[in-house]
Amino acid sequence: MFNLDQLTRENIKKLTPYSSARDEFSGEAKVFLDANENSLGSPLLKWYNRYPDPHQQLIKQKLSTIKGILPEHIFLGNGSDECIDILFRCFCEPGKDNVIICPPTYGMYEVSAHINDVDIRKAPLLPDFQLDLVHLENLIDANTKLIWLCSPNNPTGNSLNRTDIEMVLNNFNGIVVIDEAYINFARQKSFVQELKEYPNLVVLQTLSKAWGLAGLRLGMTFASKAIIEVMNKVKPPYNINQATQELVLKALEEVGQVNDMIKLLVDMREALVEVFSSMPTVETVYPSDANFILVKIADARKVYEFLLTKGIVLRDRSNVQLCDNCLRITVGTEQENTQLVDAMQEWYVSQTN
């Protein structure tokens, strides 16, 4: 049975979180002489001399409306990478506990595990890039605290079978983290609405992809109130800066524009799939629920290097498990996609002459 208290590190349970200036009073205030800020302002037209809201209440209220969940189920991080790191620090005892990942997958799970001295166990995906449930189950022991599932998966682009994810959620007594960074481009619905069903569920999303706010660095974690409270104990007091909070609030007013961009990107993704599928040097174009496609192509490294000479940067994933001779291609603008296709055709002609 899932027991959050047993999963949480003892030092975290005993931790008294840092209390910022803005935590120590409620209501409205006019004179702030509590945080040793520069009361004379800053050298910008808009002053940023005051510390930001440490709990990002306005953003959480807006996200609450968009996502259909209460604000106390939301944690905001300085990018999803901070959310990932904080989950390790909350629930994994260094040098003792382990987590499970399913490669090929997002590389920061493993990097963050190493930073936190947490053992990584790997249950590689099957050849169709779906979960190997038997292998995954055999890796679990009493010290397995987190299972990381990326869906839609990076770098493969496919969504994991929902019934397989539910199987893991129903049978694992630790925390299951579903990274939905690319969910806005997918046919599959988000697991955010399943939080009431699964107390061990944590869902990661981001504003870096569909929302086009990668430069602002804001990641979202959705989980039970109890899990969010543990994460809030560990986070830095002012982890989301004031400029990001202001710009994110403006962006969240433009849901319609974002939906239009998502539709256009999906249409362009499908057009790229069709074009690449017809190229003689392309062996496989894998199905994608993301804003990128994974393409298996002869001499992928040489193609990658040729495209660099044209000023076009892709991601060579050939050294990743199950992705031999594969390039990951982000859907660009219409002009960028055309430049890529033209360069690929130039490569093919150069190899046949």
Side-chain angles (χ1 to χ4, degrees), residues 329-345:
I329 303 170
T330 304
V331 178
T333 64
E334 186 173 353
Q335 181 182 9
E336 289 169 338
N337 295 338
T338 299
Q339 288 178 303
L340 170 63
V341 171
D342 289 346
M344 290 288 290
Q345 290 171 340

Side-chain angles (χ1 to χ4, degrees), residues 18 30-31 45 51 93 106 117 123 136 139-140 153 160 168 200 205 217-218 227 244 265 275-276 286 307 312:
Y18 178 82
K30 295 181 180 179
V31 180
L45 292 178
Y51 287 108
E93 192 73 44
Y106 181 45
D117 192 22
L136 197 157
L139 292 177
I140 296 171
N153 189 40
L160 301 177
V168 177
N200 59 333
Q205 292 185 9
R217 309 308 302 129
L218 195 134
I227 290 176
T244 289
L265 286 167
V275 171
F276 277 102
Y286 294 98
L307 292 173
I312 299 172

Side-chain angles (χ1 to χ4, degrees), residues 47-99:
W47 286 6
Y48 287 99
N49 58 319
R50 300 297 183 187
Y51 287 108
D53 174 7
H55 301 294
Q56 311 95 34
Q57 298 291 0
L58 293 179
I59 296 176
K60 290 177 181 176
Q61 289 168 13
K62 188 63 179 178
L63 286 172
S64 172
T65 301
I66 294 172
K67 301 293 182 179
I69 60 172
L70 294 175
E72 52 260 41
H73 292 279
I74 304 172
F75 174 89
L76 300 181
N78 184 6
S80 292
D81 294 335
E82 183 180 41
C83 302
I84 291 168
D85 180 67
I86 285 178
L87 286 167
F88 275 102
R89 287 193 279 145
C90 288
F91 302 112
C92 296
E93 192 73 44
K96 175 184 175 182
D97 291 330
N98 66 77
V99 302

